[in-house]
Amino acid sequence: MNGMVEWISVSDSTRVVAVAYDAENETICVRFPNDVEWCYEACPPHVWEDFMAPGVSKGKFIHDVLNHQTHHRYEQPPAS
């Protein structure tokens, strides 16, 4: 990921505290309650839309869909 992502707070999940989407790189980033952040690659816009749909369990979606994608710890780019 080339730049900073814009994090969106998640209030309806016990497993996820914030999420972000990098449309250019088709990457979903997830921040967990322990402040660990993971990015899931090869997620086109429809996957992001499904993930963010009302009533969707973020934890279940991560388990069922995102954990099958290439994923890695998120590292913030250095401040300019």
XYZ file of all heavy atoms in Angstrom:
644
model
N 0.849 -1.172 0.000
C 0.000 0.000 0.000
C 0.892 1.231 0.000
O 1.827 1.313 0.773
C -0.919 -0.040 1.206
C -1.880 -1.215 1.118
S -3.102 -1.312 2.413
C -3.788 0.292 2.374
N 0.550 2.142 -0.847
C 1.425 3.288 -1.042
C 1.174 4.440 -0.098
O 2.079 5.182 0.226
C 1.299 3.795 -2.488
C 1.734 2.745 -3.483
O 2.563 1.911 -3.174
N 1.153 2.768 -4.662
N -0.055 4.650 0.326
C -0.350 5.806 1.145
C -1.133 5.428 2.373
O -1.385 4.270 2.654
N -1.477 6.453 3.136
C -2.278 6.240 4.328
C -3.691 5.848 3.910
O -4.209 6.345 2.925
C -2.342 7.529 5.147
C -1.003 8.010 5.653
S -0.430 7.115 7.091
C -1.607 7.631 8.298
N -4.273 4.956 4.670
C -5.661 4.599 4.424
C -6.527 5.370 5.410
O -6.075 5.777 6.472
C -5.904 3.076 4.556
C -5.160 2.325 3.475
C -5.530 2.564 5.918
N -7.780 5.569 5.039
C -8.723 6.270 5.906
C -9.520 5.232 6.694
O -10.301 4.474 6.127
C -9.664 7.137 5.072
C -10.591 7.972 5.913
C -11.434 8.903 5.073
O -10.973 9.350 4.003
O -12.561 9.182 5.496
N -9.270 5.190 7.982
C -9.917 4.206 8.843
C -11.334 4.635 9.188
O -11.597 5.809 9.434
C -9.107 4.014 10.125
C -7.807 3.314 9.867
C -6.592 3.908 9.644
C -7.588 1.919 9.773
N -5.635 2.948 9.416
C -6.219 1.712 9.499
C -8.415 0.798 9.895
C -5.661 0.442 9.340
C -7.849 -0.461 9.749
C -6.486 -0.635 9.473
N -12.238 3.672 9.209
C -13.645 3.880 9.565
C -13.899 3.095 10.849
O -13.666 1.882 10.890
C -14.578 3.366 8.448
C -14.289 4.073 7.124
C -16.035 3.506 8.859
C -14.926 3.395 5.919
N -14.370 3.770 11.890
C -14.664 3.094 13.152
C -15.817 2.117 12.975
O -16.764 2.389 12.242
C -15.037 4.107 14.234
O -13.924 4.880 14.562
N -15.724 0.998 13.665
C -16.770 -0.026 13.633
C -17.315 -0.149 15.056
O -16.565 -0.445 15.982
C -16.204 -1.380 13.157
C -17.253 -2.472 13.259
C -15.670 -1.266 11.744
N -18.607 0.105 15.211
C -19.190 0.060 16.553
C -20.057 -1.177 16.778
O -20.429 -1.463 17.909
C -20.019 1.320 16.803
O -21.058 1.411 15.848
N -20.351 -1.908 15.717
C -21.267 -3.043 15.848
C -20.547 -4.391 15.805
O -21.108 -5.397 15.419
C -22.345 -2.989 14.766
C -21.776 -3.089 13.352
O -20.544 -2.953 13.189
O -22.564 -3.298 12.411
N -19.275 -4.407 16.230
C -18.503 -5.644 16.213
C -17.667 -5.733 17.488
O -17.129 -4.734 17.946
C -17.579 -5.672 14.992
O -16.747 -6.820 15.018
N -17.567 -6.934 18.030
C -16.693 -7.143 19.176
C -15.298 -7.566 18.732
O -14.354 -7.479 19.501
C -17.260 -8.239 20.116
O -17.439 -9.436 19.372
C -18.591 -7.795 20.714
N -15.162 -7.977 17.491
C -13.883 -8.469 16.985
C -13.091 -7.415 16.219
O -11.870 -7.501 16.107
C -14.133 -9.683 16.081
C -12.854 -10.254 15.547
C -12.949 -11.688 15.132
N -11.624 -12.096 14.647
C -11.436 -12.897 13.644
N -12.440 -13.409 13.000
N -10.214 -13.209 13.258
N -13.771 -6.407 15.685
C -13.139 -5.412 14.813
C -13.443 -4.017 15.349
O -14.582 -3.723 15.684
C -13.683 -5.555 13.368
C -13.160 -4.458 12.474
C -13.342 -6.930 12.798
N -12.413 -3.151 15.421
C -12.653 -1.780 15.889
C -12.635 -0.753 14.765
O -13.221 0.313 14.896
C -11.674 -1.370 17.008
C -11.863 -2.236 18.241
C -10.236 -1.413 16.548
N -11.949 -1.075 13.638
C -11.913 -0.147 12.507
C -11.562 -0.915 11.234
O -10.927 -1.978 11.286
C -10.903 0.971 12.744
N -11.981 -0.344 10.101
C -11.703 -0.943 8.793
C -11.325 0.159 7.821
O -11.624 1.340 8.039
C -12.927 -1.719 8.243
C -13.248 -2.910 9.128
C -14.145 -0.821 8.109
N -10.659 -0.225 6.753
C -10.291 0.723 5.705
C -10.229 -0.034 4.385
O -10.001 -1.253 4.363
C -8.947 1.360 6.009
N -10.424 0.715 3.289
C -10.338 0.097 1.963
C -9.459 0.945 1.069
O -9.639 2.161 0.955
C -11.731 -0.045 1.336
C -11.723 -0.794 0.020
C -11.264 -2.099 -0.059
C -12.173 -0.189 -1.146
C -11.247 -2.801 -1.253
C -12.170 -0.882 -2.352
C -11.704 -2.182 -2.397
O -11.692 -2.873 -3.593
N -8.491 0.304 0.444
C -7.625 0.934 -0.541
C -8.098 0.451 -1.903
O -7.762 -0.661 -2.332
C -6.178 0.534 -0.273
C -5.197 1.123 -1.273
O -5.639 1.633 -2.324
O -3.982 1.054 -1.019
N -8.939 1.259 -2.557
C -9.546 0.856 -3.829
C -8.498 0.674 -4.924
O -8.616 -0.226 -5.758
C -10.587 1.884 -4.257
N -7.478 1.509 -4.914
C -6.448 1.430 -5.946
C -5.743 0.069 -5.922
O -5.441 -0.515 -6.959
C -5.420 2.548 -5.745
C -4.343 2.581 -6.805
C -3.374 3.729 -6.606
O -3.783 4.785 -6.085
O -2.199 3.556 -6.971
N -5.498 -0.443 -4.724
C -4.801 -1.720 -4.577
C -5.740 -2.874 -4.233
O -5.273 -3.995 -4.013
C -3.723 -1.601 -3.500
C -2.628 -0.653 -3.923
O -1.996 -0.845 -4.951
N -2.421 0.389 -3.140
N -7.049 -2.585 -4.168
C -8.070 -3.582 -3.837
C -7.688 -4.351 -2.571
O -7.614 -5.579 -2.545
C -8.329 -4.529 -5.012
C -8.935 -3.802 -6.194
C -9.441 -4.726 -7.300
O -8.943 -5.862 -7.420
O -10.344 -4.292 -8.031
N -7.449 -3.580 -1.510
C -7.006 -4.144 -0.241
C -7.909 -3.670 0.890
O -8.161 -2.474 1.031
C -5.554 -3.730 0.049
O -4.728 -4.184 -1.024
C -5.051 -4.311 1.356
N -8.394 -4.610 1.698
C -9.181 -4.303 2.882
C -8.252 -4.401 4.087
O -7.524 -5.390 4.241
C -10.356 -5.291 3.053
C -11.361 -5.120 1.909
C -11.028 -5.116 4.411
C -12.481 -6.152 1.903
N -8.259 -3.374 4.929
C -7.469 -3.377 6.152
C -8.410 -3.435 7.343
O -9.475 -2.819 7.336
C -6.606 -2.130 6.240
S -5.394 -2.036 4.906
N -8.008 -4.189 8.355
C -8.836 -4.393 9.541
C -7.986 -4.150 10.777
O -6.866 -4.661 10.880
C -9.399 -5.840 9.567
C -10.216 -6.073 10.825
C -10.228 -6.119 8.327
N -8.529 -3.352 11.708
C -7.874 -3.126 13.003
C -8.669 -3.894 14.061
O -9.876 -3.726 14.188
C -7.834 -1.648 13.346
C -7.143 -1.363 14.676
C -7.107 0.135 14.979
N -6.334 0.830 13.962
C -6.628 2.058 13.516
N -7.682 2.716 13.978
N -5.879 2.619 12.596
N -7.943 -4.706 14.816
C -8.553 -5.516 15.859
C -8.432 -4.818 17.216
O -7.651 -3.868 17.350
C -7.901 -6.906 15.863
C -8.160 -7.668 14.589
C -7.255 -7.638 13.536
C -9.327 -8.386 14.424
C -7.500 -8.316 12.350
C -9.600 -9.074 13.253
C -8.679 -9.036 12.215
N -9.163 -5.272 18.240
C -9.149 -4.596 19.544
C -7.768 -4.473 20.184
O -7.523 -3.564 20.963
C -10.080 -5.450 20.406
C -11.020 -6.067 19.430
C -10.184 -6.328 18.206
N -6.840 -5.351 19.849
C -5.490 -5.280 20.417
C -4.573 -4.356 19.606
O -3.351 -4.399 19.770
C -4.886 -6.685 20.513
C -4.785 -7.380 19.170
O -5.191 -6.840 18.145
N -4.256 -8.587 19.164
N -5.166 -3.544 18.721
C -4.461 -2.596 17.845
C -3.600 -3.261 16.770
O -2.809 -2.603 16.116
C -3.631 -1.588 18.639
C -4.495 -0.553 19.321
O -5.596 -0.262 18.806
O -4.083 -0.029 20.374
N -3.762 -4.553 16.589
C -3.093 -5.236 15.476
C -3.917 -4.965 14.219
O -5.147 -5.022 14.245
C -2.970 -6.750 15.742
C -2.467 -7.486 14.517
C -2.061 -6.996 16.931
N -3.227 -4.642 13.137
C -3.891 -4.336 11.872
C -3.423 -5.313 10.798
O -2.226 -5.566 10.662
C -3.572 -2.897 11.460
C -4.067 -1.891 12.476
C -3.530 -0.491 12.274
O -2.559 -0.305 11.505
O -4.080 0.425 12.900
N -4.402 -5.852 10.051
C -4.114 -6.785 8.976
C -4.709 -6.257 7.682
O -5.759 -5.613 7.700
C -4.719 -8.159 9.273
C -3.900 -8.948 10.237
C -3.965 -8.884 11.602
C -2.875 -9.882 9.924
N -3.049 -9.739 12.153
C -2.369 -10.365 11.140
C -2.348 -10.366 8.736
C -1.348 -11.309 11.196
C -1.339 -11.308 8.808
C -0.846 -11.769 10.019
N -4.044 -6.549 6.570
C -4.547 -6.190 5.244
C -4.782 -7.457 4.439
O -3.993 -8.405 4.498
C -3.541 -5.301 4.523
S -3.416 -3.675 5.266
N -5.885 -7.436 3.704
C -6.306 -8.584 2.892
C -6.331 -8.122 1.436
O -7.064 -7.198 1.088
C -7.682 -9.067 3.349
C -7.683 -9.468 4.807
C -7.897 -8.525 5.803
C -7.451 -10.785 5.189
C -7.876 -8.878 7.146
C -7.433 -11.149 6.522
C -7.643 -10.192 7.498
O -7.622 -10.541 8.823
N -5.519 -8.765 0.613
C -5.342 -8.349 -0.776
C -6.343 -9.015 -1.711
O -7.027 -9.962 -1.334
C -3.913 -8.676 -1.211
C -2.862 -7.965 -0.378
C -1.443 -8.365 -0.752
O -1.255 -9.153 -1.707
O -0.517 -7.889 -0.075
N -6.373 -8.510 -2.949
C -7.217 -9.062 -4.027
C -8.689 -9.028 -3.643
O -9.418 -10.001 -3.837
C -6.765 -10.467 -4.405
N -9.123 -7.895 -3.082
C -10.522 -7.705 -2.689
C -11.140 -6.605 -3.548
O -11.028 -5.415 -3.226
C -10.608 -7.321 -1.213
S -10.030 -8.598 -0.088
N -11.783 -6.980 -4.650
C -12.411 -5.970 -5.503
C -13.537 -5.255 -4.757
O -13.960 -5.696 -3.677
C -12.927 -6.781 -6.686
C -12.968 -8.186 -6.244
C -11.976 -8.339 -5.134
N -14.015 -4.156 -5.311
C -15.033 -3.352 -4.623
C -16.243 -4.139 -4.119
O -16.768 -3.848 -3.051
C -15.435 -2.313 -5.671
C -14.202 -2.143 -6.501
C -13.589 -3.521 -6.568
N -16.687 -5.163 -4.862
C -17.877 -5.890 -4.413
C -17.612 -6.648 -3.106
O -18.522 -6.826 -2.295
C -18.419 -6.822 -5.501
C -17.585 -8.033 -5.756
N -17.742 -9.203 -5.038
C -16.583 -8.252 -6.631
C -16.861 -10.097 -5.469
N -16.146 -9.544 -6.433
N -16.371 -7.071 -2.860
C -16.040 -7.744 -1.601
C -16.103 -6.735 -0.455
O -16.650 -7.010 0.612
C -14.652 -8.429 -1.675
C -14.249 -9.010 -0.327
C -14.657 -9.504 -2.749
N -15.558 -5.544 -0.669
C -15.642 -4.467 0.327
C -17.102 -4.125 0.619
O -17.495 -3.983 1.778
C -14.879 -3.242 -0.172
C -15.071 -1.992 0.632
C -15.712 -0.854 0.224
C -14.617 -1.734 1.963
N -15.679 0.088 1.221
C -15.013 -0.422 2.300
C -13.915 -2.473 2.902
C -14.732 0.159 3.531
C -13.628 -1.893 4.140
C -14.042 -0.595 4.436
N -17.912 -4.000 -0.417
C -19.333 -3.684 -0.229
C -20.039 -4.777 0.561
O -20.846 -4.495 1.449
C -20.004 -3.463 -1.583
C -19.527 -2.203 -2.282
C -19.863 -2.159 -3.771
O -20.599 -3.046 -4.263
O -19.378 -1.234 -4.442
N -19.729 -6.046 0.274
C -20.315 -7.152 1.023
C -19.884 -7.097 2.490
O -20.686 -7.324 3.398
C -19.905 -8.500 0.426
C -20.520 -8.761 -0.945
O -21.453 -8.024 -1.343
O -20.060 -9.705 -1.620
N -18.613 -6.811 2.724
C -18.065 -6.727 4.076
C -18.747 -5.624 4.883
O -19.025 -5.781 6.072
C -16.554 -6.479 3.970
C -15.808 -6.425 5.278
C -15.898 -7.444 6.208
C -14.960 -5.365 5.549
C -15.175 -7.409 7.398
C -14.237 -5.317 6.721
C -14.343 -6.340 7.649
N -19.037 -4.501 4.219
C -19.604 -3.336 4.893
C -21.134 -3.316 4.901
O -21.736 -2.403 5.471
C -19.081 -2.050 4.249
C -17.580 -1.854 4.422
S -17.065 -1.824 6.156
C -17.798 -0.266 6.684
N -21.771 -4.285 4.308
C -23.239 -4.315 4.244
C -23.833 -4.371 5.652
O -23.281 -5.026 6.545
C -23.712 -5.512 3.421
N -24.956 -3.669 5.858
C -25.606 -3.687 7.173
C -25.930 -5.112 7.618
O -26.370 -5.935 6.820
C -26.886 -2.883 6.951
C -26.615 -2.041 5.738
C -25.668 -2.850 4.892
N -25.672 -5.384 8.879
C -26.011 -6.677 9.452
C -24.994 -7.780 9.228
O -25.154 -8.879 9.753
N -23.939 -7.498 8.464
C -22.923 -8.520 8.207
C -21.980 -8.592 9.410
O -21.467 -7.576 9.869
C -22.121 -8.201 6.920
C -20.903 -9.092 6.787
C -23.019 -8.331 5.711
N -21.771 -9.801 9.919
C -20.820 -10.008 11.007
C -19.407 -9.866 10.454
O -18.994 -10.630 9.572
C -20.998 -11.410 11.600
O -19.890 -11.740 12.407
N -18.679 -8.876 10.954
C -17.315 -8.648 10.467
C -16.427 -9.855 10.779
O -15.650 -10.302 9.941
C -16.721 -7.385 11.100
C -17.511 -6.109 10.847
C -17.444 -5.675 9.416
C -18.107 -4.330 9.206
N -19.508 -4.393 8.859
N -16.537 -10.392 11.997
C -15.718 -11.537 12.369
C -15.988 -12.753 11.500
O -15.064 -13.442 11.056
N -17.251 -13.034 11.240
C -17.616 -14.183 10.402
C -17.141 -13.967 8.967
O -16.631 -14.894 8.329
C -19.127 -14.402 10.441
C -19.585 -15.617 9.657
C -21.023 -15.969 9.966
C -21.600 -17.086 9.169
N -20.729 -18.047 8.561
N -17.270 -12.741 8.449
C -16.826 -12.440 7.089
C -15.310 -12.628 6.976
O -14.818 -13.193 5.996
C -17.229 -11.014 6.698
C -17.111 -10.737 5.230
C -18.187 -10.916 4.382
C -15.919 -10.278 4.684
C -18.086 -10.667 3.016
C -15.799 -10.019 3.322
C -16.887 -10.218 2.493
N -14.581 -12.157 7.984
C -13.130 -12.339 7.971
C -12.804 -13.824 7.939
O -11.978 -14.275 7.137
C -12.481 -11.643 9.184
C -12.592 -10.119 9.022
C -11.025 -12.068 9.354
C -12.300 -9.343 10.285
N -13.448 -14.589 8.797
C -13.200 -16.029 8.871
C -13.574 -16.741 7.574
O -12.813 -17.560 7.058
C -13.975 -16.628 10.051
C -13.781 -18.094 10.198
N -14.621 -19.020 9.611
C -12.828 -18.797 10.840
C -14.194 -20.226 9.897
N -13.108 -20.131 10.652
N -14.751 -16.414 7.030
C -15.274 -17.134 5.864
C -14.683 -16.676 4.535
O -14.596 -17.466 3.593
C -16.797 -16.994 5.790
C -17.509 -17.712 6.926
O -16.862 -18.526 7.630
O -18.709 -17.446 7.112
N -14.312 -15.397 4.436
C -13.888 -14.842 3.137
C -12.457 -14.300 3.176
O -11.589 -14.757 2.436
C -14.862 -13.727 2.674
C -14.405 -13.117 1.357
C -16.284 -14.257 2.566
N -12.205 -13.334 4.034
C -10.929 -12.616 3.973
C -9.725 -13.477 4.345
O -8.650 -13.310 3.768
C -10.976 -11.364 4.849
C -11.999 -10.310 4.437
C -11.889 -9.088 5.329
C -11.859 -9.927 2.974
N -9.886 -14.384 5.296
C -8.746 -15.220 5.688
C -8.283 -16.140 4.558
O -7.197 -16.712 4.646
C -9.066 -16.044 6.934
C -8.918 -15.234 8.193
O -8.293 -14.171 8.212
N -9.503 -15.715 9.271
N -9.069 -16.255 3.492
C -8.679 -17.070 2.343
C -7.922 -16.243 1.304
O -7.444 -16.801 0.303
C -9.907 -17.742 1.721
C -10.602 -18.649 2.693
N -10.155 -19.911 2.989
C -11.687 -18.448 3.467
C -10.939 -20.454 3.896
N -11.884 -19.590 4.201
N -7.838 -14.937 1.529
C -7.081 -14.052 0.640
C -5.640 -13.974 1.148
O -5.363 -14.268 2.316
C -7.685 -12.642 0.656
C -9.147 -12.565 0.288
C -9.405 -13.039 -1.115
O -9.886 -14.143 -1.323
N -9.089 -12.213 -2.090
N -4.736 -13.511 0.288
C -3.385 -13.201 0.752
C -3.506 -12.079 1.770
O -4.194 -11.083 1.528
C -2.510 -12.750 -0.429
O -2.441 -13.814 -1.380
C -1.119 -12.371 0.034
N -2.880 -12.240 2.929
C -2.988 -11.201 3.950
C -1.675 -11.050 4.710
O -0.834 -11.950 4.716
C -4.166 -11.453 4.896
C -4.216 -12.803 5.517
N -4.633 -13.924 4.833
C -3.902 -13.230 6.760
C -4.589 -14.972 5.621
N -4.133 -14.579 6.805
N -1.517 -9.884 5.315
C -0.275 -9.538 6.013
C -0.551 -8.444 7.020
O -1.558 -7.744 6.931
C 0.799 -9.084 5.013
C 0.348 -7.941 4.157
N 0.447 -6.627 4.556
C -0.239 -7.919 2.935
C -0.054 -5.844 3.592
N -0.481 -6.612 2.608
N 0.346 -8.281 7.972
C 0.231 -7.193 8.930
C 0.334 -5.866 8.187
O 1.113 -5.730 7.246
C 1.354 -7.257 9.974
C 1.289 -8.432 10.924
C 0.329 -8.267 12.085
N 0.615 -7.221 13.005
C 1.188 -7.369 14.189
N 1.584 -8.562 14.586
N 1.378 -6.341 14.971
N -0.448 -4.890 8.622
C -0.421 -3.556 8.027
C 0.716 -2.771 8.634
O 0.902 -2.766 9.853
C -1.751 -2.840 8.278
C -1.772 -1.401 7.835
C -1.752 -1.074 6.495
C -1.798 -0.367 8.758
C -1.778 0.257 6.070
C -1.815 0.964 8.348
C -1.817 1.256 7.013
O -1.828 2.565 6.605
N 1.492 -2.113 7.806
C 2.551 -1.230 8.273
C 2.285 0.153 7.719
O 2.209 0.333 6.504
C 3.904 -1.737 7.806
C 4.270 -3.079 8.410
C 5.658 -3.535 7.977
O 6.493 -2.684 7.631
O 5.879 -4.744 7.984
N 2.139 1.113 8.637
C 1.874 2.483 8.202
C 3.112 3.038 7.517
O 4.231 2.770 7.940
C 1.509 3.370 9.378
C 0.184 3.024 9.995
C -0.204 4.006 11.071
O 0.588 4.809 11.525
N -1.457 3.935 11.477
N 2.894 3.803 6.448
C 4.048 4.433 5.779
C 4.665 5.482 6.696
O 3.984 6.027 7.572
C 3.437 5.060 4.526
C 1.984 5.176 4.804
C 1.635 4.113 5.811
N 5.936 5.762 6.525
C 6.575 6.791 7.370
C 5.942 8.156 7.151
O 5.476 8.472 6.054
C 8.038 6.784 6.919
C 8.077 6.006 5.652
C 6.817 5.194 5.552
N 5.885 8.942 8.201
C 5.316 10.303 8.111
C 6.206 11.165 7.238
O 7.430 11.032 7.255
C 5.186 10.904 9.495
N 5.594 12.054 6.471
C 6.367 12.933 5.581
C 6.893 14.122 6.339
O 6.274 14.689 7.152
C 5.494 13.443 4.445
O 4.896 12.386 3.770
